[in-house]
Every structure is written in structure tokens, then in C-alpha cells.
Amino acid sequence: MDLLCCYIAEEDEPDLVLQNELFSSLQTAELPAWMAYEDSRTFEVKLEAPQARDSLGLHLELSDGMTAYVSRVSLDHLLPAGAYNLHAPEGNKLEVGFYILEINGVSGDAQQMMDVTRSGVGMIMRCRRPQLSVVKVKKYAHQSMGLDLQFTAQGRVLTICKIFDGAVQESGVDVKPGDRIIKVDGREGTANELLARIAQARHVELTISRCPEVTTAFALPVLGEGEKLQQQ
């Protein structure tokens, strides 16, 4: 099985608590088609300036090159993210799996957005809840999945950059460049664990997270050719 994988180095942020509330309540049987949250609009998050560098209380995964995907949220109310969630309305809390589209007016470049988070100032973030789906892919022995994937060292998702001839295309499932694989056969894991499960399975079930802005950008010729993505 061929998976073209691109590892992206990233800096880790210590002392974060992984929150799984967003996905643990979603059972595979409940997701037969694309599912947006009750309110799929973007919403605004205002965070106070962190007291120290890299103490925002978030771990952000940047593998699509243009958004910051929230992979961990601290429960520490002394950190900006935890303090925001403590008082935010239930529908507008910052949760694992959400996409940050813009920080202090900076958008479209994930690394520049990360630079803003390290500048020591308060932040206004434009965020989006994900669209989630479960797809089933049938794979013959020695058949390629036909996916070009990117992931980061501390990441728990696989970002689909390109789709080639292979099991995914032949299965006719709704998967597009820019989508993230967040579960394989109903289970979360590190990026390497997700890759291993895909490689070992004959028939595989993928839980997909989609951000409309990312899907649109990956469909453009320049970004679709990977010219703006951080390749290593």
C-alpha cells in the first residue's frame, strides 16, 4: 500500500491537557453523511496576552499550511485559552478539532499566524467548527490508497494534500485535498498510529474533518500543486 507522507517539524507546547469531548461523543453510526455542527458559522475568540512565550494554552497543528488546527486545549484557567473557555458561551468555546482561520488580521499562512501567537499580545481569532464525515474505503491486497499525506511530529491527524489513482478514488467516497483524517476505524491516535492502521487494514473506515476554506484553497492550481505548503 503506497501512502506518500510528508513529515513537518513543529515546536511542542508543554503542560497541555488533551480534550476529546468533541469527538468522543460522536459515534460512527451517527455520521452517515457530511455533518456540520448545529451552527457552522465562524465565530470570534478573544484571548488575553500570554504572560510568557508559548503559554497560550493551545497546541496548534499547521500541516495544511494555511490554518491552525486545534489539537489540544489546556484546562488551566491561568492560561489565555483556558480563561476564555471558562467564561465563553457553550457554543463558542475553543475546542479540539476547531480551525483557526485568522489571528489579529493575519490569515492564509499558518506560520505567520503562529508568529502572532508568540508576539506576546492579546489576540482576536476567527474560528470555524469542522464538518465531519465517516467514509469506508475498500482496499485490495497490495493496492495503493492513492493519498499524499502531511503530518507533524506531535500531530494526531493526517492532512490529505493530493489524491491519486488508488483505493480512495475507486471507492467513490467524498474525500478531498485539504481534508484531515482524524480517526481510523473509529480510533484516534498519533499520526504514526493512524498511518499504521491504514497500512494494515484491507477495508478501512476513515473519519474525515473538513474546513470549507481549506477545501477551496486546495482546489486552486497554486496551492493544489503544493507550492505554498511547507514540504520537507
Side-chain angles (χ1 to χ4, degrees), residues 23-218:
F23 300 130
S24 61
S25 62
L26 299 174
Q27 301 300 319
T28 297
E30 297 173 348
L31 294 170
W34 280 106
M35 185 201 79
Y37 280 82
E38 213 175 273
D39 182 357
S40 61
R41 65 180 172 79
T42 59
F43 64 100
E44 189 176 89
V45 169
K46 294 183 179 180
L47 299 185
E48 299 294 332
Q51 296 183 2
R53 183 180 181 274
D54 292 337
S55 62
L56 195 61
L58 295 173
H59 189 281
L60 304 175
E61 192 267 354
L62 313 178
S63 61
D64 65 31
M66 62 170 295
T67 69
Y69 177 88
V70 180
S71 61
R72 302 176 195 168
V73 182
S74 175
L75 300 178
D76 189 344
H77 298 156
L78 298 179
L79 298 178
Y84 167 82
N85 277 347
L86 181 63
H87 301 290
E90 192 60 37
N92 282 10
K93 292 184 184 297
L94 196 53
E95 299 186 45
V96 170
F98 285 13
Y99 292 84
I100 299 176
L101 307 177
E102 181 180 298
I103 303 178
N104 286 2
V106 177
S107 63
D109 187 311
Q111 193 55 59
Q112 289 184 14
M113 290 165 61
M114 281 298 292
D115 291 343
V116 175
T117 69
R118 298 179 177 124
S119 63
V121 300
M123 277 160 275
I124 299 177
M125 300 177 170
R126 186 164 62 92
C127 303
R128 180 180 287 284
R129 301 167 182 82
Q131 295 175 324
L132 300 177
S133 160
V134 172
V135 300
K136 295 182 178 180
V137 177
K138 295 182 179 179
K139 178 162 58 76
Y140 302 107
H142 309 298
Q143 184 184 23
S144 168
M145 286 286 285
L147 297 177
D148 183 357
L149 303 172
Q150 287 196 140
F151 61 95
T152 57
Q154 304 297 324
R156 299 177 64 85
V157 298
L158 303 170
T159 297
I160 299 172
C161 299
K162 295 181 182 178
I163 301 175
F164 305 101
D165 291 339
V168 171
Q169 277 194 353
E170 289 187 13
S171 296
V173 294
D174 183 10
V175 174
K176 297 180 180 180
D179 289 348
R180 279 174 164 84
I181 300 171
I182 60 173
K183 289 183 184 179
V184 175
D185 290 333
R187 291 190 294 164
E188 297 175 340
T190 65
N192 284 326
E193 289 170 343
L194 297 177
L195 285 170
R197 289 178 200 145
I198 293 173
Q200 294 165 5
R202 283 289 302 275
H203 302 309
V204 62
E205 187 177 80
L206 306 176
T207 303
I208 302 293
S209 171
R210 178 175 294 175
C211 173
E213 287 83 354
V214 175
T215 303
T216 299
F218 267 76

